[in-house]
Amino acid sequence: SSDLMRIENLFTYFKDKLKSRQDATKEAICNNVKDRDTYRYLTGKLHGLREAEQELLDMLRKMERDDDD
């Protein structure tokens, strides 16, 4: 099961990276928005990061279910 452990470590690494990018983007939205286009860009970026995180979590859950079978 060491392969599964390596995969879980990879997932955790990417999940943490996505979270920190989300946090940085939220901070930018709160502090640095000078115009509507920048706001739209940053909120779109945040949405994309959240979708990527959800895809990662869904994939990990599926792998865990398949591993249990």
Side-chain angles (χ1 to χ4, degrees):
S1 185
S2 66
D3 282 346
L4 184 60
M5 183 65 99
R6 280 199 295 268
I7 290 169
E8 286 177 346
N9 289 340
L10 187 63
F11 273 88
T12 300
Y13 171 81
F14 278 116
K15 190 167 67 72
D16 291 347
K17 286 290 182 191
L18 287 166
K19 272 287 188 219
S20 66
R21 287 187 181 195
Q22 285 178 45
D23 292 343
T25 304
K26 285 181 216 171
E27 191 173 321
I29 290 169
C30 291
N31 298 324
N32 301 324
V33 175
K34 294 168 182 63
D35 55 50
R36 181 175 288 160
D37 287 340
T38 303
Y39 177 78
R40 283 188 182 141
Y41 167 75
L42 289 171
T43 55
K45 181 178 176 178
L46 183 59
H47 181 72
L49 289 166
R50 286 178 174 159
E51 282 188 332
E53 181 186 26
Q54 190 58 55
E55 287 292 326
L56 204 57
L57 293 172
D58 291 348
M59 195 182 306
L60 184 59
R61 282 190 201 104
K62 182 185 180 325
M63 289 174 63
E64 287 172 344
R65 277 197 310 270
D66 290 350
D67 198 43
D68 288 344
D69 292 342

